[in-house]
Amino acid sequence: MSAARKPDWLKVPYNRDAVNEVAEMMRSLKLNTVCNSANCPNLGECYQKHTATFMILGSRCTRNCRFCNVTHFHPEPVDPDEPENLAAAAKRLGLRHVVITQVTRDDLPDGGAGQFAACLNRLHEVCPGATVEVLISDMKGDRACLDTVMAAGPDVLNHNVETVPELYAAVRPQAVYERSLEVLRYCKQVRPEARTKTGFMVGLGETEDQIARLMDDVLATGCDILTIGQYLQPSPQHYPLARYVTPEEFARYKELALSKGFKYVASAPLVRSSYRAAEALEA
């Protein structure tokens, strides 16, 4: 299918009132969401349900992946009030499952691990009944940083591989495929009771064989949860979209991943790494 025209299955309703309500609360607490920063297509649905994925450590990333819409620029100072404000927002929204992601902070000695731990600890105090999922960068593979995050007790540790290894040089030039696999493997070893999770996009030019091998590589780390979604090119300056993958193909990817042994798989055009994330814990 041509990449020129967006198919009907990628068109979603947008509830402006719900979006404005949650966005205003985030602004008042000086919080960022990946929903806005990454231009997520599910923003309207999630905000209407009073859910959001908090993005800590600012809104500017120190890396410049060619698929991502998050701003690449000089990062902001770490906000010491962020853990308290994040917990307050989660309580105000009545969240039962909280998802926290980050901009990559290669400028920080701990990659932002300490801020993750502070947010987790405060959430456990303010929202004791909520489960928490963290979506982390590779933190340069530093095990001490990963130990800091895992010691704070996330229920789900998510780190996305994003694409097949053959496309890393073009799509994720500052990342290393084997390092991302090692992050997943190590975190599972450190805290086996936590679920580990990863996700990747399709539509960038990958092949069926490459997808199958990626699934095998990820499963070998002990990963429990897999998400697969459609790549949507944010602008003409980003990595070019090769094609729109059909819903039928996504269903086939899901069947393949489940047959290989993943415990939970979300695979559909609009799936993103944190979309309906609580369902993976309820399955």
Side-chain angles (χ1 to χ4, degrees), residues 165-177:
E166 291 82 359
L167 292 177
Y168 260 55
V171 178
R172 304 188 72 202
Q174 294 159 289
V176 180
Y177 179 68

Side-chain angles (χ1 to χ4, degrees), residues 26-74:
M26 297 297 178
R27 279 192 295 269
S28 71
L29 292 170
K30 298 186 294 181
L31 294 170
N32 297 301
T33 69
V34 74
C35 320
N36 276 320
S37 298
N39 197 25
C40 179
N42 303 310
L43 184 147
E45 176 186 344
C46 293
Y47 275 18
Q48 188 172 5
K49 294 178 178 178
H50 278 209
T51 64
T53 296
F54 299 103
M55 187 170 73
I56 64 172
L57 298 161
S59 60
R60 302 171 190 165
C61 189
T62 55
R63 297 189 189 177
N64 195 21
C65 297
R66 293 195 60 207
F67 67 88
C68 185
N69 197 51
V70 174
T71 302
H72 168 70
F73 201 63
H74 300 300

Side-chain angles (χ1 to χ4, degrees), residues 74-89:
H74 300 300
E76 303 102 316
V78 176
D79 180 3
D81 296 326
E82 191 167 53
E84 184 66 42
N85 290 338
L86 189 153

Side-chain angles (χ1 to χ4, degrees), residues 110-267:
D110 71 348
Q115 189 77 337
F116 262 115
C119 290
L120 277 159
N121 291 333
R122 189 62 184 137
L123 274 168
H124 290 149
E125 292 168 355
V126 175
C127 306
T131 51
V132 186
E133 175 177 328
V134 293
L135 171 53
I136 65 170
S137 72
D138 61 31
M139 297 186 178
K140 296 183 179 179
D142 189 318
R143 291 189 171 188
C145 299
L146 300 175
D147 286 341
T148 297
V149 175
M150 299 310 290
D155 298 280
V156 181
L157 184 287
N158 188 352
H159 172 66
N160 285 333
V161 293
E162 303 292 8
T163 187
V164 297
E166 291 82 359
L167 292 177
Y168 260 55
V171 178
R172 304 188 72 202
Q174 294 159 289
V176 180
Y177 179 68
E178 291 77 12
R179 184 167 65 192
S180 285
L181 293 177
E182 181 56 29
V183 166
L184 291 167
R185 182 180 296 109
Y186 181 72
C187 289
K188 191 64 172 178
Q189 291 172 351
V190 168
R191 196 162 184 269
E193 68 272 23
R195 297 197 184 189
T196 50
K197 175 180 178 180
T198 196
F200 65 92
M201 305 166 288
V202 291
L204 296 101
E206 66 288 323
T207 68
E208 297 279 316
D209 286 344
Q210 289 169 349
I211 290 172
R213 287 197 297 272
L214 181 151
M215 289 181 183
D216 290 338
D217 289 346
V218 168
L219 192 62
T221 71
C223 189
D224 304 291
I225 303 167
L226 181 66
T227 62
I228 311 169
Q230 171 70 54
Y231 169 59
L232 297 175
Q233 185 179 353
S235 78
Q237 288 71 47
H238 286 79
Y239 191 82
L241 171 67
R243 72 185 186 100
Y244 290 114
V245 178
T246 67
E248 291 76 19
E249 289 174 282
F250 277 103
R252 184 159 48 80
Y253 296 153
K254 179 175 182 177
E255 291 176 7
L256 177 62
L258 288 172
S259 72
K260 287 177 178 292
F262 286 96
K263 294 181 175 65
Y264 181 88
V265 179
S267 176

